Amino acid sequence: MRALRILLVIVVVLGGIFFVVDRVAVYFAESEAEGRVHVTGATIGSTDVSIKGFPFLTQLAGSQLDEVDVEITGIETDANGHRIRISRMNAALHEVKLADGYSSATAARATGSAVISYEDLTKAAGDGVVVEYGGNGKVKVTGTVDILGRPLSRSVLSTVTLVDGHILKVHADKVPGEGIPGLEGLVRRRTDFEREVGGLPSGLKLQKIQPTADGLEISVTGTDVQLDG
């Protein structure tokens, strides 16, 4: 019995040591990954990486991680002369295969969400245009047009949609003053716009967009998502 108790104590101690070593390894791996994340064709602010699953060391030995959660803040891209910023993006990456000495990886599938704030959307819309939440899944766009030499401010409620999975389109449902020759065209030239949303890892696609009080919420999905460090 005494020998059995000693054996149990040894097992518990070794198990505790393994757990600590495993968690320390995860911590260092997450810190290293955060410093190496980059997105081709974009600048990013900060990143946070969380590696799920236990034990980590056996996953690392097999060069495949069960799940890696990534949060990137401030993804900025420039497309067609217009700069747009994704305020925040979260992604859960599953079955992540490591390659090239852990310098690159491929996730079999991924799900997540991205947010574009109205402040960032306003900056992307153009000079003199302000974008706000309009309620009921709409955005409110305000722009100034010139009528007979006088500036005239107009606000419209607009629908936001995704075109071809990567272009954000803002289109006014109705323009005040419709019927006045030329007015609708002038207003729409200020309030209707399209912007390409880039800066996503290869294989990750925009799926659905929904205006909320906190910004434009976009769901993202992907398969064979390529990650380079």
Side-chain angles (χ1 to χ4, degrees):
M1 290 295 295
R2 184 171 179 274
L4 180 59
R5 286 197 298 269
I6 293 173
L7 180 60
L8 289 175
V9 169
I10 293 173
V11 170
V12 171
V13 171
L14 291 177
I17 292 173
F18 178 77
F19 177 82
V20 171
V21 171
D22 191 81
R23 294 302 89 191
V24 170
V26 168
Y27 173 79
F28 280 107
E30 291 172 343
S31 299
E32 180 70 14
E34 289 169 359
R36 296 174 63 179
V37 170
H38 77 275
V39 179
T40 302
T43 60
I44 62 177
S46 62
T47 60
D48 184 77
V49 176
S50 178
I51 300 173
K52 305 297 184 181
F54 179 82
F56 164 69
L57 291 174
T58 57
Q59 296 181 65
L60 187 63
S63 297
Q64 180 167 309
L65 306 178
D66 296 337
E67 179 182 340
V68 179
D69 293 348
V70 179
E71 178 177 312
I72 304 177
T73 302
I75 305 174
E76 295 189 45
T77 59
D78 203 333
N80 301 318
H82 296 286
R83 196 162 187 82
I84 192 165
R85 181 178 186 270
I86 299 175
S87 310
R88 184 180 68 258
M89 185 184 74
N90 297 283
L93 311 173
H94 301 274
E95 298 177 35
V96 181
K97 293 184 178 180
L98 307 174
D100 300 327
Y102 309 135
S103 64
S104 65
T106 301
R109 64 186 190 282
T111 58
S113 63
V115 175
I116 299 176
S117 71
Y118 293 116
E119 179 182 0
D120 287 326
L121 189 57
T122 292
K123 292 177 181 178
D127 293 339
V129 177
V130 177
V131 185
E132 307 167 279
Y133 183 53
N136 298 319
K138 303 288 184 179
V139 297
K140 177 184 175 182
V141 185
T142 302
T144 301
V145 297
D146 187 83
I147 303 295
L148 300 177
R150 297 181 59 185
L152 182 66
S153 179
R154 280 289 183 265
S155 295
V156 296
L157 286 178
S158 302
T159 297
V160 184
T161 55
L162 282 173
V163 179
D164 297 332
H166 64 99
I167 297 175
L168 183 154
K169 180 178 180 180
V170 179
H171 184 78
D173 297 342
K174 185 178 180 181
V175 176
E178 288 180 348
I180 300 176
L183 179 58
E184 180 178 358
L186 287 173
V187 173
R188 286 195 179 278
R189 277 197 289 273
R190 298 294 291 160
T191 61
D192 289 4
F193 60 93
E194 296 183 2
R195 296 292 181 266
E196 183 174 352
V197 181
L200 299 178
S202 175
L204 202 61
K205 302 182 184 301
L206 305 179
Q207 191 72 23
K208 181 181 179 182
I209 190 166
Q210 178 65 38
T212 71
D214 296 325
L216 299 183
E217 293 189 357
I218 309 170
S219 61
V220 296
T221 61
T223 56
D224 296 328
V225 179
Q226 303 294 318
L227 304 169
D228 297 313

